[in-house]
């Protein structure tokens, strides 16, 4: 996994959340001399499901297309005028998360930056957000930005890790986000109480990373957390250390008990007050979801 990025994709629906994500994406592009790819998806459901006659549907579609194109071009021109970075625009028609994933695959995208709306209750558990759908279906890192977050430089990074997961390649990537002089990276090792013996598996990796960090100006800390609800522990630690970025492996481990209060990744993204950088493996997640369905069915029988 590369430690920098040259093409950043930022989808926008022209909302406050989308505009806030653009600000962060612009700042990252300036730091890395990257190309900003602005994308707006004209949702096909507004056209396909319209009860209007064909002629009226065509008129509505043209109006939506014209309005969206004008708004996207306005953002395009403002970014170029104010920030002097290379920008490309894209406006496909379809289902938002599907078109975002398709664009990230068809273009040499290194990072996706998205705004989040958040959710709660039953809707959070069953429906999910567009950002969460993208994370589940892409192999690219996704940086989600809460609506009220207004920083573009990350000084304190929280990196929750599991004893069974490789973390060195993820660390190499997040080093690129730690651009300021005074940076702290806090590793939070998450373990179920009965898994404490697994800690030896990643001790060597942690030691190697710590040795690398000591050669730079980055401050390093590592703490073990024995808990059952990993997502809530991550959110609590984030608040406790005043982190301004959370980096997570976006997997749905069906053995984790916190699945029953909402998937790990979704719970963190929906409730984090700071940006979340998610690494994922869409193939593995699909297999894990199938396992979850089987386990749920067995519980119901």
């Amino acid at each position: 996994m590369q430690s920098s990025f040259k093409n950043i994709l930022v989808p926008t629906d022209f909302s406050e959340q989308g505009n806030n994500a653009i600000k962060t994406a612009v700042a990252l592009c300036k730091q890395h001399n990257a190309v900003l790819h602005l994308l707006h998806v004209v949702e096909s459901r507004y056209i396909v499901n319209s009860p209007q006659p064909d002629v009226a549907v065509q008129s509505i579609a043209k109006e939506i297309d014209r309005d969206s194109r004008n708004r996207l071009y306005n953002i395009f021109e403002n970014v170029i005028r104010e920030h002097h970075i290379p920008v490309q625009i894209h406006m496909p028609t379809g289902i938002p998360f599907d078109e975002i994933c398709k664009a990230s695959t068809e273009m040499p995208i290194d990072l996706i930056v998205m705004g989040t709306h958040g959710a709660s209750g039953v809707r959070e558990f069953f429906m999910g957000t567009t950002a969460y759908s993208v994370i589940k279906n892409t192999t690219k890192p996704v940086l989600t930005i809460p609506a009220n977050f207004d920083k573009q430089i990350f000084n304190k990074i929280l990196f929750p890790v599991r004893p069974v997961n490789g973390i060195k390649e993820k660390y190499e990537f997040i080093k690129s986000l730690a651009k300021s002089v005074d940076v702290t990276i806090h590793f939070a090792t998450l373990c179920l109480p009965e898994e404490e013996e697994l800690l030896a598996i990643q001790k060597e990796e942690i030691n190697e990373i710590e040795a690398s960090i000591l050669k730079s100006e980055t401050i390093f800390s590592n703490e073990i957390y024995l808990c059952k609800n990993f997502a809530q522990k991550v959110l609590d630690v984030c608040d406790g250390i005043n982190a301004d970025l959370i980096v997570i492996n976006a997997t749905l481990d069906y053995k984790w008990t916190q699945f029953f209060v909402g998937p790990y990744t979704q719970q963190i993204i929906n409730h984090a007050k700071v940006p979340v950088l998610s690494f994922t493996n869409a193939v593995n997640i699909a297999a894990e979801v199938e396992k979850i369905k089987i386990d749920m069915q067995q519980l119901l029988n």
Side-chain angles (χ1 to χ4, degrees):
M1 181 173 293
Q2 65 189 63
S3 59
S4 186
F5 28 82
K6 296 302 178 185
N7 290 277
I8 298 175
L9 175 67
V10 54
T12 180
D13 57 1
F14 310 123
S15 65
E16 177 185 352
Q17 290 87 349
N19 292 337
N20 203 38
I22 291 173
K23 293 178 182 177
T24 301
V26 166
L28 290 171
C29 284
K30 293 170 76 171
Q31 291 173 11
H32 296 272
N33 296 317
V35 177
L36 178 68
H37 294 263
L38 286 169
L39 180 143
H40 173 73
V41 180
V42 178
E43 294 192 55
S44 55
R45 65 187 177 92
Y46 291 134
I47 300 173
V48 176
N49 296 333
S50 173
Q52 302 295 329
D54 289 344
V55 175
V57 168
Q58 292 177 9
S59 176
I60 293 171
K62 289 181 180 179
E63 186 63 31
I64 292 174
D65 183 85
R66 185 183 304 111
D67 179 66
S68 298
R69 194 171 299 278
N70 287 339
R71 297 174 77 174
L72 195 59
Y73 268 105
N74 284 339
I75 297 174
F76 168 81
E77 292 172 350
N78 288 337
V79 170
I80 290 179
R81 182 175 60 253
E82 295 178 14
H83 302 285
H84 309 288
I85 62 174
V87 183
Q88 296 183 17
I89 58 175
H90 314 273
M91 202 178 79
T93 298
I95 301 171
F97 86 85
D98 188 46
E99 294 301 323
I100 294 167
C101 292
K102 186 185 300 182
S104 70
T105 300
E106 294 177 349
M107 297 185 289
I109 299 301
D110 303 305
L111 176 70
I112 303 171
V113 181
M114 299 185 65
T116 56
H117 296 264
S120 61
V122 175
R123 177 179 178 273
E124 172 186 335
F125 186 86
F126 289 105
M127 295 180 64
T129 62
T130 296
Y132 183 55
S133 296
V134 170
I135 290 168
K136 287 195 299 180
N137 291 279
T138 184
T139 56
K140 302 297 177 70
V142 180
L143 180 63
T144 49
I145 311 296
N148 297 323
F149 189 82
D150 59 1
K151 293 178 62 178
Q152 278 79 52
I153 296 178
F154 306 113
N155 298 107
K156 189 169 290 187
I157 300 173
L158 173 60
F159 190 7
V161 294
R162 290 275 289 148
V164 294
N165 287 338
I167 59 175
K168 288 171 61 177
E169 62 175 9
K170 307 295 190 301
Y171 168 70
E172 290 301 317
F173 189 95
I174 66 176
K175 277 198 306 185
S176 298
L177 295 174
K179 284 293 184 179
S180 61
V181 174
D182 183 19
V183 176
T184 299
I185 297 180
H186 180 78
F187 283 86
T189 301
L190 305 172
C191 259
L192 294 170
E194 63 269 23
E195 292 182 327
E196 191 170 5
E197 69 277 6
L198 295 177
L199 293 172
I201 295 177
Q202 77 172 43
K203 184 176 180 181
E204 185 176 343
E205 276 193 303
I206 290 287
N207 289 341
E208 288 181 18
I209 292 173
E210 184 173 11
S212 173
I213 291 175
L214 289 174
K215 297 177 182 178
S216 66
E217 299 182 51
T218 302
I219 301 171
F220 171 86
S221 64
N222 179 39
E223 192 164 344
I224 299 167
Y225 300 93
L226 300 179
C227 55
K228 291 187 175 181
N229 188 332
F230 294 155
Q232 188 58 54
K233 175 57 69 174
V234 169
L235 294 169
D236 291 343
V237 172
C238 180
D239 289 342
I241 67 172
N242 294 316
D244 47 34
L245 176 68
I246 303 173
V247 180
I248 61 174
N249 289 310
T251 57
L252 299 176
D253 187 333
Y254 74 105
K255 295 180 181 178
W256 293 358
T257 55
Q258 79 273 9
F259 169 77
F260 296 101
V261 294
Y264 172 71
T265 303
Q266 189 175 19
Q267 189 179 352
I268 291 176
I269 290 174
N270 284 342
H271 296 289
K273 301 172 185 176
V274 302
V276 178
L277 176 63
S278 304
F279 294 97
T280 187
N281 184 320
V283 175
N284 287 346
I285 286 181
E288 288 164 357
V289 168
E290 289 304 312
K291 293 177 182 178
I292 289 169
K293 290 179 180 178
I294 293 172
D295 281 6
M296 290 292 286
Q297 187 61 46
Q298 291 175 346
L299 287 173
L300 294 174
N301 292 338

